[in-house]
Amino acid sequence: MSALTGRIALVTGAGQRVGQAIALALGAEGMRVAVHHHASVEGARKTASALRGLGVDNATFAADLRDPRAPATLIAEVTGHFGGIDLLVNSAAIMRRLSLDTVRHEDWDETFAINVRAPFFLSLAAARAMGPRGGVIVNIADHLAHESWPLLVPHGASKGALEVITRQLAVQLAPLVRVNAVAPGAVLPPDGWADAARRKFIEETPLRRLGSPDDVAQAVVYLAAAPYVTGEVLCVDGGRHLR
Ligand SMILES: NC(=O)c1ccc[n+]([C@@H]2O[C@H](COP(=O)([O-])OP(=O)(O)OC[C@H]3O[C@@H](n4cnc5c(N)ncnc54)[C@H](OP(=O)(O)O)[C@@H]3O)[C@@H](O)[C@H]2O)c1
């Protein structure tokens, strides 16, 4: 049994890819898992089914995190179902490629609504629901906050803001709630990444390979159970942040 066994986790964006890997890794630790999704209804069902296969209590919850009311509603639904919450993993995000010539206010607002505002208000609602028993928040940031990519300025800025929120809330919510982040490098690149760009990226990465969703998931498991760690941003990026 691990320290996480029987505890309740909410993972946002758990219907596919990295969020799904995090939900399954937490389930493998014996956590009860609230699987949040938006468009990935079928994906969330698959996550739930895989968790059931592990013998883990779980339920799926739909929410569009562009809606300012969604964070409070989602936390209320999860705590109503499970009777509490011990861990919030903010993994849901968007990464729009936006050139500086054509980026619109709407793009900026949508990026910040999903990548920054939603994790912030989810964290506040979760911390309230955790109450005197306390709990843990893990934000999924991005190595792109530390690098300069021409089409990813709003995205990088949003993930930089998420790191700031991580450190601020780590202080403000202490000592009951620990708040940390994982900043992955490329673990599941988007479709259509050109071979030459992928090779260049790998050459520039000290560990000379891409990561995997499970690398991120295991970092989340570590932070979920590390009782004396708060306000950290754990780079799981093959050493790119050292360049
Ligand atoms: N993949 C990588 O290599 C990589 C690298 C660095 C950092 N990260 C970070 O890791 C996290 C997961 O990455 P990923 O590649 O798995 O991302 P992804 O495939 O784009 O999935 C992100 C999730 O966010 C959810 N989401 C998007 N818009 C939403 C909305 N309006 N309301 C609610 N949920 C919404 C989606 O849910 P639905 O599908 O249900 O709509 C989706 O499952 C993200 O925070 C990302 O920035 C990933």
Side-chain angles (χ1 to χ4, degrees):
M1 276 217 333
S2 88
L4 302 176
T5 305
R7 304 272 184 180
I8 299 150
L10 164 61
V11 183
T12 66
Q16 59 166 356
R17 292 167 51 91
V18 176
Q20 186 172 57
I22 294 168
L24 295 181
L26 295 172
E29 295 295 312
M31 293 195 86
R32 305 165 71 196
V33 184
V35 175
H36 159 264
H37 65 91
H38 177 227
S40 296
V41 179
E42 190 48 37
R45 279 200 204 107
K46 285 187 180 148
T47 310
S49 157
L51 287 166
R52 267 196 307 282
L54 295 171
V56 167
D57 183 21
N58 69 89
T60 59
F61 299 85
D64 182 348
L65 294 176
R66 287 172 298 191
D67 179 349
R69 294 163 302 186
T73 305
L74 177 57
I75 296 297
E77 286 174 0
V78 170
T79 55
H81 180 90
F82 287 100
I85 179 169
D86 301 297
L87 169 66
L88 165 67
V89 182
N90 284 308
S91 182
I94 56 169
M95 187 179 81
R96 303 262 187 266
R97 279 171 181 66
L98 302 163
S99 98
L100 296 186
D101 294 329
T102 57
V103 61
R104 303 165 308 150
H105 296 128
E106 292 85 346
D107 301 319
W108 179 272
D109 288 347
E110 187 186 32
T111 297
F112 271 68
I114 298 170
N115 295 10
V116 185
R117 189 184 69 201
F120 176 73
F121 283 104
L122 280 164
S123 298
L124 295 190
R128 273 183 219 115
M130 286 165 185
R133 177 175 145 140
V136 183
I137 296 166
V138 181
N139 294 317
I140 308 302
D142 197 322
H143 74 104
L144 292 168
H146 313 135
E147 299 186 15
S148 183
W149 290 72
L151 300 181
L152 295 170
V153 176
H155 177 78
S158 74
K159 292 297 191 171
L162 189 60
E163 290 191 6
V164 173
I165 286 171
T166 300
R167 287 189 282 268
Q168 299 261 345
L169 291 188
V171 176
Q172 301 304 328
L173 300 179
L176 290 174
V177 180
R178 293 187 300 105
V179 187
N180 290 291
V182 177
V187 296
L188 266 186
D191 294 339
W193 207 22
D195 278 352
R198 174 189 287 258
R199 274 198 303 277
K200 182 169 182 291
F201 187 94
I202 289 172
E203 275 162 24
E204 291 172 353
T205 301
L207 291 184
R208 297 288 187 275
R209 60 179 177 83
L210 303 185
S212 72
D214 200 49
D215 290 326
V216 179
Q218 292 309 321
V220 172
V221 168
Y222 164 72
L223 290 170
Y228 204 50
V229 179
T230 199
E232 270 307 308
V233 178
L234 179 51
C235 296
V236 180
D237 64 355
R240 286 186 72 86
H241 66 287
L242 300 170
R243 295 176 312 140

